[in-house]
Amino acid sequence: MAVYTDISEGDLKHFLQQYDVGELTSYKGIAEGVENSNFLLHTTRDPLILTLYEKRVEKNDLPFFLGLMQHLSARGLSCPLPLPRRDGELLGELSGRPAALISFLEGMWLRKPEARHCREVGKALAQMHLAGEGFSIERPNALSLDGWRTLWAKAADRADEVEGGLQEEISSELDFLGRHWPNDLPAGVIHADLFQDNVFFLGDGLSGLIDFYFACNDLLAYDVSICLNAWCFEKDGAYNVTKGKALLEGYQSVRPLSDEELAALPVLARGSALRFFLTRLYDWLTTPAGALVVKKDPLEYLRKLRFHRQVGSVAEYGVAA
Amino acid sequence: MAVYTDISEGDLKHFLQQYDVGELTSYKGIAEGVENSNFLLHTTRDPLILTLYEKRVEKNDLPFFLGLMQHLSARGLSCPLPLPRRDGELLGELSGRPAALISFLEGMWLRKPEARHCREVGKALAQMHLAGEGFSIERPNALSLDGWRTLWAKAADRADEVEGGLQEEISSELDFLGRHWPNDLPAGVIHADLFQDNVFFLGDGLSGLIDFYFACNDLLAYDVSICLNAWCFEKDGAYNVTKGKALLEGYQSVRPLSDEELAALPVLARGSALRFFLTRLYDWLTTPAGALVVKKDPLEYLRKLRFHRQVGSVAEYGVAA
């Protein structure tokens, strides 16, 4: 939860004059998102989200993120839509930060998702993968093999503080993934962070996907493996095969996975578990004690990584190979 | 900023079934308030605030706070209104906390108020003092002289860590206030915390007062002195007599202050400056480094206290005695 940058009513009014959005009636900082400052605005028309991009987001990446939301929305995916200013630009500046106004998506993220929700998530992920086709900007995944090695180089020395033996285990995992990472699977725009808090539901239906600030170009099946990690484990660390089956069936009802993609799932899932393990480990070791962000436990992802390492066949994820 | 307690969609739906408020379409934790967890709800009808009362709030005080909002609202003051459940109760329970649903008040609090806003605040404070007449529940002010002494007893030993000489200065201030505190001025229900973030404006007009969780029975002019401290000093520590004049004129246009109340203002303002100094000092010395709350600087109120100590006549506040 975080609001890093406060904004004054005068600066905000000046900013809003560049848009055609009605009169502001209220704005409140919201306690969601860890990378940016977000405000929920009420106006005499529709509610809006105002996002101020903080330092962890590369300003050069913003045209990719904002353009992608426009591209996906135009192709029928339900996601927030950046509003153009009167001069056509999607990006402005407020309180010294790059800032964008984005449509408000009704719906709630689920603290306790069930298998039927996992099915909807699988469907929506596949819809996003199809809707992403033809998007003209490219953004390589900074958090794939090379990025993991860079993160690991910064954290390896202190890894054994978190758990004894980690230094050796993770080094050999990186070696393994370097040797076995697939490079000939279908690729495209992936969400890369489709956790519970980035999927909204209204009633029983999925109402939309949000937070495209890790989106990039990578293997589509890698995105599926991220969702398996994010949605299909229970709090006690056990893989829930009913949820996995539902998520994979949902995905394949929209975009069937090839035999090669299915066969690669265990390796991809080891990679995505390692990716979240490493960023959490790095944050764990470097976040100052007084920071406003709640640190997430890296060991949750170490346990998931170990699960995937002992998977013998993709049938164990809930799908027939 | 704070959301101390998260809520699951299932618990929330169950909670909302006890009310007649339409269908929930979204809920987001908001980064305002330091005592409680607040969520902004959208429904198929009006937006609402859901407040979960955290441990710092005495559960026994909640009927006073919620009843007061109803009482003030019924007498025409613009403030949030607690919604009754279908069974008539104002208070429920959610995620193991006492919880209330409260109407959403449009408007924005001002980061940079001007004298004309101070005039509106003065008027609204006096309107609240009149509207509070006849409220049947009483709540003594836990943060008056006795409360200050209790706080000071816990912080005095370490006060010189914050500034050398503080221990002696504050002890003698408490002695002075004990000898000169007025006890025969008009009393009633006071807000006791009417800072900028608790007053909403829409356009140029004041749209309402919020956050009655420090409200209590005490001297009405003491509440005025709190507003002088909260609204009429500049960031550099200087008292702004134009703002003070506007605030006092606004107040007196609705409820004239007696000669005795005016004469007591410097002593009351020393007391209210000391009150905020002491709670900030206590929080400063006791809040753990990793807490999610931004610590406020106690020295801001020490400087205000010193200003009031050298005031020779209430004319210096901007009003003719």
Side-chain angles (χ1 to χ4, degrees), chain A residues 217-228:
Chain A
N217 293 84
D218 207 337
L219 307 178
L220 301 181
Y222 175 66
D223 221 8
V224 176
S225 82
I226 289 173
C227 287
L228 289 177

Side-chain angles (χ1 to χ4, degrees), chain A residues 225-259:
Chain A
S225 82
I226 289 173
C227 287
L228 289 177
N229 277 313
W231 289 84
C232 304
F233 285 82
E234 298 305 305
K235 288 235 187 312
D236 66 2
Y239 181 76
N240 183 323
V241 70
T242 309
K243 289 183 176 176
K245 184 166 186 285
L247 193 141
L248 291 164
E249 282 179 0
Y251 186 90
Q252 298 211 81
S253 73
V254 175
R255 178 184 172 270
L257 292 159
S258 69
D259 289 346

Side-chain angles (χ1 to χ4, degrees), chain B residues 33-46:
Chain B
V34 293
E35 302 288 322
N36 301 313
S37 296
N38 290 297
F39 295 83
L40 171 47
L41 276 52
H42 287 180
T43 74
T44 45
R45 296 191 217 153
D46 294 321

Side-chain angles (χ1 to χ4, degrees), chain B residues 37-278:
Chain B
S37 296
N38 290 297
F39 295 83
L40 171 47
L41 276 52
H42 287 180
T43 74
T44 45
R45 296 191 217 153
D46 294 321
L48 298 167
I49 292 286
L50 167 67
T51 299
L52 270 62
Y53 298 98
E54 301 292 339
K55 287 172 186 163
R56 268 176 87 149
V57 173
E58 267 287 335
K59 196 174 170 185
N60 290 338
D61 285 334
L62 292 175
F64 176 89
F65 299 138
L66 297 173
L68 177 61
M69 287 189 258
Q70 275 198 321
H71 180 93
L72 295 174
S73 181
R75 273 151 193 80
L77 191 83
S78 177
C79 70
L81 184 63
L83 305 183
R85 307 196 309 180
R86 295 180 198 276
D87 66 4
E89 292 294 321
L90 296 182
L91 196 64
E93 190 179 297
L94 182 53
S95 294
R97 302 259 178 258
L101 264 191
I102 297 170
S103 65
F104 182 85
L105 193 68
E106 296 289 351
M108 291 150 274
W109 67 267
L110 302 180
R111 276 67 171 173
K112 294 177 180 173
E114 299 171 14
R116 62 202 164 95
H117 303 116
C118 295
R119 182 179 305 273
E120 297 306 308
V121 171
K123 274 191 207 171
L125 184 71
Q127 283 159 356
M128 187 209 134
H129 289 169
L130 298 182
E133 289 174 7
F135 182 52
S136 59
I137 316 179
E138 295 226 337
R139 179 175 183 260
N141 189 356
L143 287 171
S144 189
L145 272 172
D146 285 347
W148 306 340
R149 290 190 185 109
T150 306
L151 271 174
W152 181 237
K154 293 179 190 166
D157 280 354
R158 295 180 54 200
D160 283 2
E161 289 175 24
V162 177
E163 186 176 299
L166 259 188
Q167 200 174 344
E168 196 178 314
E169 179 176 353
I170 300 302
S171 293
S172 88
E173 182 70 24
L174 271 167
D175 287 346
F176 173 88
L177 292 174
R179 280 180 278 116
H180 294 90
W181 198 249
N183 52 25
D184 51 359
L185 299 179
V189 181
I190 70 168
H191 185 286
D193 195 40
L194 202 60
F195 279 70
Q196 271 93 311
D197 53 343
N198 290 333
V199 182
F200 285 0
F201 285 83
L202 253 186
D204 273 348
L206 189 153
S207 65
L209 310 182
I210 68 162
D211 199 346
F212 291 83
Y213 300 110
F214 284 97
C216 56
N217 293 84
D218 206 339
L219 307 179
L220 301 181
Y222 174 66
D223 221 8
V224 176
S225 81
I226 289 175
C227 286
L228 289 177
N229 277 313
W231 289 85
C232 304
F233 284 83
E234 298 304 306
K235 288 237 186 311
D236 65 3
Y239 181 76
N240 183 323
V241 70
T242 308
K243 290 183 176 175
K245 183 167 186 284
L247 193 143
L248 291 164
E249 282 179 1
Y251 187 91
Q252 299 212 79
S253 73
V254 175
R255 178 183 173 270
L257 292 159
S258 69
D259 289 347
E260 291 73 21
E261 286 180 298
L262 285 171
L265 268 186
V267 171
L268 295 170
R270 285 168 70 163
S272 53
L274 182 69
R275 173 253 180 272
F276 291 101
F277 168 78
L278 285 173

Side-chain angles (χ1 to χ4, degrees), chain A residues 4-282:
Chain A
Y4 301 94
T5 305
D6 196 21
I7 44 182
S8 76
E9 61 283 1
D11 290 348
L12 181 54
K13 266 186 195 155
H14 182 76
F15 177 83
L16 291 177
Q17 280 163 4
Q18 300 165 302
Y19 295 84
D20 178 27
V21 291
E23 291 291 313
L24 182 70
T25 59
S26 133
Y27 68 103
K28 301 205 186 288
I30 57 178
E32 297 193 358
V34 293
E35 302 287 323
N36 302 312
S37 297
N38 289 298
F39 294 83
L40 171 47
L41 276 53
H42 287 180
T43 73
T44 45
R45 296 191 217 155
D46 295 321
L48 299 167
I49 292 286
L50 167 67
T51 299
L52 271 62
Y53 297 99
E54 301 292 340
K55 286 171 188 163
R56 267 175 88 150
V57 173
E58 267 286 334
K59 197 175 169 185
N60 290 338
D61 285 335
L62 292 174
F64 175 90
F65 299 138
L66 297 173
L68 177 61
M69 287 189 258
Q70 275 198 322
H71 180 92
L72 295 173
S73 180
R75 273 151 193 80
L77 191 84
S78 178
C79 69
L81 184 63
L83 305 183
R85 307 196 307 181
R86 294 183 198 276
D87 65 5
E89 293 293 322
L90 295 182
L91 196 64
E93 190 180 295
L94 182 53
S95 296
R97 301 259 178 259
L101 263 191
I102 297 169
S103 65
F104 182 85
L105 194 68
E106 296 289 352
M108 292 150 275
W109 67 267
L110 302 179
R111 277 68 171 172
K112 295 176 179 172
E114 299 170 15
R116 62 200 163 96
H117 303 115
C118 295
R119 183 179 305 273
E120 297 305 309
V121 171
K123 274 190 208 171
L125 184 71
Q127 283 160 354
M128 188 208 134
H129 288 168
L130 298 183
E133 289 174 6
F135 182 51
S136 59
I137 317 180
E138 294 226 339
R139 179 174 183 263
N141 189 356
L143 287 171
S144 188
L145 272 172
D146 285 349
W148 306 339
R149 292 191 183 108
T150 306
L151 271 173
W152 180 238
K154 292 179 190 165
D157 281 354
R158 295 180 53 200
D160 283 1
E161 289 175 26
V162 176
E163 186 175 298
L166 259 188
Q167 199 174 343
E168 197 178 313
E169 179 176 354
I170 300 303
S171 294
S172 86
E173 182 70 24
L174 270 167
D175 287 344
F176 173 88
L177 292 175
R179 279 180 280 116
H180 294 90
W181 198 247
N183 52 26
D184 50 359
L185 299 179
V189 180
I190 69 168
H191 185 286
D193 195 41
L194 201 60
F195 278 70
Q196 272 92 310
D197 52 344
N198 291 333
V199 181
F200 286 179
F201 286 83
L202 252 185
D204 272 348
L206 189 152
S207 65
L209 310 182
I210 67 162
D211 199 345
F212 291 83
Y213 299 111
F214 285 97
C216 55
N217 293 84
D218 207 337
L219 307 178
L220 301 181
Y222 175 66
D223 221 8
V224 176
S225 82
I226 289 173
C227 287
L228 289 177
N229 277 313
W231 289 84
C232 304
F233 285 82
E234 298 305 305
K235 288 235 187 312
D236 66 2
Y239 181 76
N240 183 323
V241 70
T242 309
K243 289 183 176 176
K245 184 166 186 285
L247 193 141
L248 291 164
E249 282 179 0
Y251 186 90
Q252 298 211 81
S253 73
V254 175
R255 178 184 172 270
L257 292 159
S258 69
D259 289 346
E260 292 73 22
E261 285 181 299
L262 285 171
L265 268 186
V267 171
L268 295 170
R270 284 169 72 163
S272 54
L274 182 69
R275 173 254 180 271
F276 291 101
F277 168 76
L278 286 172
T279 48
R280 288 184 178 195
L281 175 69
Y282 180 78

